[in-house]
């Protein structure tokens, strides 16, 4: 997925392997799904099906509406992948295969981009030469999360090293999204660890704190250009100039909020979304260039508003289930004794919820695919812990 030109071939290989493994998995009738696994299947399927039903019930069908079916389609497809992981009991293998394949291709992408561009240069933004920084800015925080989980559970130094690599590459993307998703889980985990650990000396705690602050500071420095741009855009918006990256997001939030309030019950449907948005934007007081630009985006840069506008209250509720169920599982991990991993996971989900206020990541197939794989891999990895009864 890091290289878009290879997506078709990779997808075909994935589908063939999935079909073959599904055939093999049918014979494993004695392996049943756990409560946590069934819950994730339901949460994912409901979210996907709400969108599909919203599409089917709102003809005439448009090219834009059909294009939007890709993400829920992949969610349903990956439930088959998840089912194979359950039947073949591939918990540890799945999380490591997702994490290692992601970091390997991330490094290949970095080397290839630096080679083609002739080395480091002013203004270089990782993922903006051969791929797309929007993709890498989402892939790498999820990769860092997986290696963080692996390190916290197995305490192997190579996982910590790979976590730090994914963390720093996230900073090199120079993305607000990536920065929020990697810094928040690290910050809350370190704070929890320092206050809950009674066996570490003051010197060791200070060392952990300084190391964590240093990693976060380096990532923020790498993303300094984007942070400066954010402040610049904010000042423009204060002067009613919304034609900037942040300004357009503010305008879309206001437009989306008003549309969500108007169509809260049933939404406008995926097929007529573009037409309704274009008609609504023309009635606003924004400049002509802002009015012309907003309808060119594929989404409103807010997942919550987007699902309400497309599918109404059912879309909003199903989204809360889709992104809320992992939080429930991390709470169960906390109660089962896996506290540091649980805090790290809750911090990660908090970062995800935060960036959903500024992006609609489930509009695109590539972000949806890795999110479903990441959560599915985590559930398979902690199958025994999530199934353990606790008071």
């Amino acid at each position: 997925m890091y290289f878009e030109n290879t997506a078709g071939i990779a997808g075909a290989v994935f589908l063939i392997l999935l079909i073959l493994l599904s055939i093999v998995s049918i014979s494993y009738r004695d392996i049943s799904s756990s409560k946590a696994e069934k819950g994730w299947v339901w949460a994912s399927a409901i979210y996907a099906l709400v969108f599909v039903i919203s599409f089917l019930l709102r003809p005439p069908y448009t090219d834009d509406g059909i294009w939007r079916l890709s993400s829920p389609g992949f969610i349903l497809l990956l439930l088959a992948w998840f089912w194979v992981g359950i039947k073949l009991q591939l918990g540890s293998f799945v999380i490591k295969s997702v994490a290692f394949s992601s970091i390997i291709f991330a490094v290949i992408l970095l080397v290839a981009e630096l080679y083609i561009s002739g080395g480091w240069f002013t203004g270089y933004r990782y993922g903006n030469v051969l791929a797309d920084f929007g993709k890498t800015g989402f892939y790498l925080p999820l990769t860092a999360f997986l290696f963080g989980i692996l390190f916290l559970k197995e305490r192997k130094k190579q996982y910590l090293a790979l976590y730090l690599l994914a963390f720093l590459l996230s900073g090199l993307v120079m993305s607000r999204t990536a920065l929020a998703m990697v810094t928040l889980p690290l910050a809350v985990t370190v704070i929890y660890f320092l206050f809950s650990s009674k066996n570490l000396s003051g010197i060791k705690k200070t060392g952990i704190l300084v190391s964590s602050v240093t990693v976060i500071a380096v990532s923020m420095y790498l993303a300094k250009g984007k942070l400066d741009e954010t402040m610049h855009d904010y000042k423009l918006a204060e002067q009613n100039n919304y034609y900037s990256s942040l300004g357009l997001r503010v305008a879309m939030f206001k437009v989306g909020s008003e549309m969500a309030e108007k169509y809260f019950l049933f939404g406008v449907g995926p097929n007529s979304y573009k037409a309704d948005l274009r008609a609504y934007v023309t009635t606003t007081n924004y400049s002509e260039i802002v009015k012309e630009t907003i309808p060119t985006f594929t989404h409103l840069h807010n997942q919550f508003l987007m699902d309400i506008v497309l599918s109404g209250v059912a879309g909003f509720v199903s989204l809360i289930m889709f992104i809320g169920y992992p939080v429930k599982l991390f709470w169960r991990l906390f109660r089962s004794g896996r506290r540091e991993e649980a805090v790290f996971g809750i911090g990660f989900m908090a970062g995800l919820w935060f960036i959903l206020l500024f992006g609609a990541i489930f509009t695109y197939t590539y972000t949806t695919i890795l999110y479903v794989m990441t959560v599915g891999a985590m559930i398979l990895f902690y199958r025994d812990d999530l199934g353990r009864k606790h008071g």
Side-chain angles (χ1 to χ4, degrees), residues 139-194:
Y139 293 163
L140 285 164
L142 267 66
T143 305
F145 164 72
L146 292 175
F147 279 117
I149 286 291
L150 284 167
F151 170 70
L152 290 172
K153 185 174 183 180
E154 300 186 1
R155 305 291 179 171
K156 294 181 179 179
K157 293 181 180 179
Q158 60 264 37
Y159 294 145
L160 177 60
L162 292 171
Y163 166 75
L164 293 174
L165 175 60
F167 196 111
L168 294 175
L169 286 177
S170 297
L172 197 56
V173 175
M174 303 180 191
S175 164
R176 293 178 290 248
T177 295
L179 193 61
M181 289 181 68
V182 293
T183 56
L184 191 56
L186 176 61
V188 297
T189 304
V190 169
I191 292 172
Y192 172 81
F193 181 75
L194 292 179

Side-chain angles (χ1 to χ4, degrees), residues 85-149:
I86 295 172
K87 289 294 182 180
L88 300 182
Q89 297 181 295
L90 299 174
S92 180
F93 174 79
V94 167
I95 192 171
K96 292 174 184 177
S97 65
V98 175
F100 275 98
S101 61
S102 180
I103 198 67
I104 288 170
F105 279 100
V107 172
I108 292 174
L109 176 63
L110 176 65
V111 173
E113 287 195 335
L114 293 178
Y115 176 77
I116 289 176
S117 59
W120 297 99
F121 61 91
T122 302
Y124 170 69
R125 190 174 183 182
Y126 175 52
N128 201 28
V129 178
L130 291 176
D132 179 88
F133 57 82
K135 292 181 182 181
T136 50
F138 187 76
Y139 293 163
L140 285 164
L142 267 66
T143 305
F145 164 72
L146 292 175
F147 279 117
I149 286 291

